[in-house]
Amino acid sequence: MRQELGYREKSGQVTKFGQWYADRVQDTQYRNAPWCDMFLAWAADKAGLTEYVGEFAWTPSHAAWFIKQDAWTRKPEPGALVFFDWRGGESYKGVDHVGVVERVAGKKIHTIEANVDREWLKRKTRETDKVVGYGVPRLVKANAERLDEIRSTERPFVSAPRPETGNGSPLDVLGTPPALLAAMVITTIVLTLRVTGRRRGTHRRFARRFGWPWNAPTTRRPAKTSSGTRPPKVREKARAAAHPGPAPRHPAPEQPARPARIRVPAGPAHQAAKQAAPTRRRPYEPR
């Protein structure tokens, strides 16, 4: 920056700083625009400090950027950018000139400014009554580092990498949740079929087909007769064993026969009429 002291703009307000900025933003109107702030952008780029100084051509916007970065102050210090309002205002919106504080001497500041005295880049000694504020690149850098540190603590924890098992055995699948679920489903189906078979009498068929044990007592079938058939009682017992019916009832005890009632005729006339009438045999009486 000090190496550029004594630089003078060319006719038409053309400067190398304006040309550099115009190429930077791809806008030719900055080639002959007021160049006090474009000089600071050029110097910051050469020093690699653009991140902390900013890159502007419009001084109110540059002042607002420092305010947003929480790097705005009313106290001068070497290296700070000083923003002036020649009308004596106190708002950043009225800023119309900017320079760099080289040193502070009492109530005066010594600066390096571009586009002063209409065409020069030179040192100036200024009173502070026209100063709106100071933008401090040092604070911009400190705030950025603090924000980076805060963001680093807000990052979620990274889970530890799982150990590589390589080419595992196919039997490793048996311990997985899908394999356990499949085993539970198969076991439930088998138990359901066995219970249903016992209720419906179909467990023998499943036992013969799949070789399942059957814990029901076995009975020997009686031998057939010479004619190839079983005795009636044996058949009945086998049918009763295969299809058990309701429990047999005990027969009621035989009641003793009541003696026949003998009717006594009311009188002789009735007896004579009964003897004279022919005797009729009832259909159900034996002959």
Side-chain angles (χ1 to χ4, degrees), residues 7-16 19 32 35 119:
Y7 180 85
R8 185 178 182 180
E9 68 183 34
K10 298 177 176 60
S11 62
Q13 206 176 4
V14 176
T15 63
K16 65 178 181 180
Q19 291 178 349
N32 57 351
W35 48 286
E119 56 186 8

Side-chain angles (χ1 to χ4, degrees), residues 20 26 37 112 158 178 197:
W20 171 86
Q26 298 295 312
D37 210 357
I112 295 177
V158 180

Side-chain angles (χ1 to χ4, degrees), residues 26-94:
Q26 298 295 312
D27 192 342
T28 58
Q29 68 175 333
Y30 290 100
R31 290 180 180 178
N32 57 351
W35 48 286
C36 62
D37 210 357
M38 291 189 290
F39 163 69
L40 297 179
W42 176 88
D45 180 72
K46 295 299 180 182
L49 300 175
T50 303
E51 182 179 0
Y52 310 120
V53 176
E55 188 174 277
F56 294 87
W58 181 243
T59 51
S61 298
H62 202 172
W65 181 80
F66 276 107
I67 294 173
K68 185 177 180 181
Q69 299 296 323
D70 197 18
W72 184 259
T73 182
R74 298 283 296 182
K75 184 178 179 180
E77 65 176 71
L81 276 65
V82 53
F83 293 86
F84 300 94
D85 182 357
W86 302 132
R87 294 180 297 273
E90 296 182 356
S91 173
Y92 74 93
K93 297 180 181 180

Side-chain angles (χ1 to χ4, degrees), residues 246-265:
R249 299 180 179 178
H250 296 286
E254 295 182 359
Q255 299 293 335
R258 295 181 180 180
R261 294 180 180 180
I262 300 174
R263 296 182 179 181
V264 178

Side-chain angles (χ1 to χ4, degrees), residues 108-166:
K108 294 184 179 182
I109 55 175
H110 298 264
T111 64
I112 295 177
E113 303 173 24
N115 194 26
V116 292
D117 299 335
R118 296 188 178 274
E119 56 186 8
W120 294 95
L121 193 160
K122 58 192 302 186
R123 284 188 172 99
K124 298 289 288 186
T125 302
R126 300 285 192 182
E127 299 287 344
T128 58
D129 58 335
K130 303 295 183 180
V131 174
V132 178
Y134 302 87
V136 186
R138 174 183 59 84
L139 295 179
V140 176
K141 183 179 179 180
N143 293 337
E145 292 176 352
R146 185 176 70 254
L147 291 175
D148 290 341
E149 183 179 357
I150 294 174
R151 293 190 187 100
S152 65
T153 60
E154 294 177 350
R155 294 176 183 173
F157 291 102
V158 180
S159 58
R162 295 182 180 179
E164 296 182 0
T165 57

